[in-house]
PDB file of all heavy atoms in Angstrom:
ATOM      1  N   ILE E 348      26.998   2.720 -25.046  1.00 97.00           N
ATOM      2  CA  ILE E 348      27.636   1.724 -24.212  1.00 97.00           C
ATOM      3  C   ILE E 348      28.047   0.438 -24.954  1.00 97.00           C
ATOM      4  O   ILE E 348      27.326   0.054 -25.816  1.00 97.00           O
ATOM      5  CB  ILE E 348      26.641   1.205 -23.015  1.00 97.00           C
ATOM      6  CG1 ILE E 348      26.188   2.442 -22.193  1.00 97.00           C
ATOM      7  CG2 ILE E 348      27.321   0.249 -22.116  1.00 97.00           C
ATOM      8  CD1 ILE E 348      27.176   3.069 -21.308  1.00 97.00           C
ATOM      9  N   GLY E 349      29.235  -0.115 -24.643  1.00 98.00           N
ATOM     10  CA  GLY E 349      29.679  -1.295 -25.235  1.00 98.00           C
ATOM     11  C   GLY E 349      29.925  -2.316 -24.075  1.00 98.00           C
ATOM     12  O   GLY E 349      30.421  -2.007 -23.085  1.00 98.00           O
ATOM     13  N   ILE E 350      29.620  -3.591 -24.281  1.00 98.00           N
ATOM     14  CA  ILE E 350      29.805  -4.546 -23.275  1.00 98.00           C
ATOM     15  C   ILE E 350      30.544  -5.764 -23.897  1.00 98.00           C
ATOM     16  O   ILE E 350      30.286  -6.100 -25.038  1.00 98.00           O
ATOM     17  CB  ILE E 350      28.455  -4.991 -22.569  1.00 98.00           C
ATOM     18  CG1 ILE E 350      28.898  -6.001 -21.377  1.00 98.00           C
ATOM     19  CG2 ILE E 350      27.554  -5.678 -23.543  1.00 98.00           C
ATOM     20  CD1 ILE E 350      27.664  -6.278 -20.524  1.00 98.00           C
ATOM     21  N   SER E 351      31.389  -6.341 -23.102  1.00 98.00           N
ATOM     22  CA  SER E 351      32.177  -7.560 -23.665  1.00 98.00           C
ATOM     23  C   SER E 351      32.171  -8.750 -22.676  1.00 98.00           C
ATOM     24  O   SER E 351      31.992  -8.461 -21.464  1.00 98.00           O
ATOM     25  CB  SER E 351      33.606  -7.182 -24.010  1.00 98.00           C
ATOM     26  OG  SER E 351      34.326  -6.962 -22.718  1.00 98.00           O
ATOM     27  N   PHE E 352      32.231  -9.924 -23.247  1.00 98.00           N
ATOM     28  CA  PHE E 352      32.294 -11.162 -22.450  1.00 98.00           C
ATOM     29  C   PHE E 352      33.391 -12.032 -22.902  1.00 98.00           C
ATOM     30  O   PHE E 352      33.437 -12.352 -24.111  1.00 98.00           O
ATOM     31  CB  PHE E 352      30.937 -11.882 -22.629  1.00 98.00           C
ATOM     32  CG  PHE E 352      29.735 -11.211 -22.106  1.00 98.00           C
ATOM     33  CD1 PHE E 352      29.134 -10.349 -23.105  1.00 98.00           C
ATOM     34  CD2 PHE E 352      29.179 -11.348 -20.936  1.00 98.00           C
ATOM     35  CE1 PHE E 352      27.945  -9.666 -22.769  1.00 98.00           C
ATOM     36  CE2 PHE E 352      28.059 -10.697 -20.542  1.00 98.00           C
ATOM     37  CZ  PHE E 352      27.515  -9.802 -21.491  1.00 98.00           C
ATOM     38  N   THR E 353      34.298 -12.343 -22.077  1.00 98.00           N
ATOM     39  CA  THR E 353      35.395 -13.250 -22.389  1.00 98.00           C
ATOM     40  C   THR E 353      35.685 -14.164 -21.208  1.00 98.00           C
ATOM     41  O   THR E 353      35.476 -13.707 -20.050  1.00 98.00           O
ATOM     42  CB  THR E 353      36.749 -12.514 -22.812  1.00 98.00           C
ATOM     43  OG1 THR E 353      37.716 -13.490 -23.234  1.00 98.00           O
ATOM     44  CG2 THR E 353      37.265 -11.629 -21.711  1.00 98.00           C
ATOM     45  N   GLY E 354      36.067 -15.386 -21.415  1.00 98.00           N
ATOM     46  CA  GLY E 354      36.313 -16.245 -20.271  1.00 98.00           C
ATOM     47  C   GLY E 354      36.482 -17.687 -20.590  1.00 98.00           C
ATOM     48  O   GLY E 354      36.512 -18.082 -21.759  1.00 98.00           O
ATOM     49  N   ALA E 355      36.643 -18.579 -19.650  1.00 97.00           N
ATOM     50  CA  ALA E 355      36.754 -19.974 -19.812  1.00 97.00           C
ATOM     51  C   ALA E 355      35.547 -20.693 -19.357  1.00 97.00           C
ATOM     52  O   ALA E 355      35.222 -20.716 -18.117  1.00 97.00           O
ATOM     53  CB  ALA E 355      37.947 -20.479 -19.006  1.00 97.00           C
ATOM     54  N   ALA E 356      34.698 -21.302 -20.228  1.00 96.00           N
ATOM     55  CA  ALA E 356      33.499 -21.925 -19.854  1.00 96.00           C
ATOM     56  C   ALA E 356      33.677 -23.387 -19.444  1.00 96.00           C
ATOM     57  O   ALA E 356      32.909 -24.006 -18.766  1.00 96.00           O
ATOM     58  CB  ALA E 356      32.501 -21.971 -20.968  1.00 96.00           C
ATOM     59  N   GLY E 357      34.854 -23.953 -19.834  1.00 94.00           N
ATOM     60  CA  GLY E 357      35.230 -25.350 -19.455  1.00 94.00           C
ATOM     61  C   GLY E 357      34.731 -26.255 -20.547  1.00 94.00           C
ATOM     62  O   GLY E 357      34.282 -25.918 -21.574  1.00 94.00           O
ATOM     63  N   PRO E 358      34.797 -27.603 -20.307  1.00 93.00           N
ATOM     64  CA  PRO E 358      35.154 -28.204 -19.029  1.00 93.00           C
ATOM     65  C   PRO E 358      36.676 -28.161 -18.708  1.00 93.00           C
ATOM     66  O   PRO E 358      37.041 -28.424 -17.596  1.00 93.00           O
ATOM     67  CB  PRO E 358      34.713 -29.621 -19.210  1.00 93.00           C
ATOM     68  CG  PRO E 358      34.758 -29.958 -20.658  1.00 93.00           C
ATOM     69  CD  PRO E 358      34.487 -28.591 -21.329  1.00 93.00           C
ATOM     70  N   GLU E 359      37.557 -27.801 -19.690  1.00 94.00           N
ATOM     71  CA  GLU E 359      38.959 -27.786 -19.462  1.00 94.00           C
ATOM     72  C   GLU E 359      39.441 -26.337 -19.279  1.00 94.00           C
ATOM     73  O   GLU E 359      38.807 -25.416 -19.723  1.00 94.00           O
ATOM     74  CB  GLU E 359      39.739 -28.389 -20.657  1.00 94.00           C
ATOM     75  CG  GLU E 359      39.329 -29.873 -21.025  1.00 94.00           C
ATOM     76  CD  GLU E 359      39.576 -30.788 -19.761  1.00 94.00           C
ATOM     77  OE1 GLU E 359      40.626 -30.580 -19.051  1.00 94.00           O
ATOM     78  OE2 GLU E 359      38.837 -31.736 -19.628  1.00 94.00           O
ATOM     79  N   PRO E 360      40.558 -26.222 -18.567  1.00 95.00           N
ATOM     80  CA  PRO E 360      41.160 -24.786 -18.429  1.00 95.00           C
ATOM     81  C   PRO E 360      41.525 -24.290 -19.781  1.00 95.00           C
ATOM     82  O   PRO E 360      41.679 -25.007 -20.750  1.00 95.00           O
ATOM     83  CB  PRO E 360      42.358 -25.072 -17.599  1.00 95.00           C
ATOM     84  CG  PRO E 360      42.150 -26.356 -16.841  1.00 95.00           C
ATOM     85  CD  PRO E 360      41.332 -27.264 -17.768  1.00 95.00           C
ATOM     86  N   LEU E 361      41.589 -23.027 -19.837  1.00 95.00           N
ATOM     87  CA  LEU E 361      41.915 -22.284 -21.146  1.00 95.00           C
ATOM     88  C   LEU E 361      42.835 -21.188 -20.824  1.00 95.00           C
ATOM     89  O   LEU E 361      42.635 -20.339 -19.911  1.00 95.00           O
ATOM     90  CB  LEU E 361      40.600 -21.689 -21.690  1.00 95.00           C
ATOM     91  CG  LEU E 361      40.792 -21.005 -23.104  1.00 95.00           C
ATOM     92  CD1 LEU E 361      41.213 -21.975 -24.137  1.00 95.00           C
ATOM     93  CD2 LEU E 361      39.463 -20.339 -23.587  1.00 95.00           C
TER      94      LEU E 361
END
Side-chain angles (χ1 to χ4, degrees):
I348 303 289
I350 185 170
S351 68
F352 300 85
T353 184
E359 302 299 326
L361 183 64

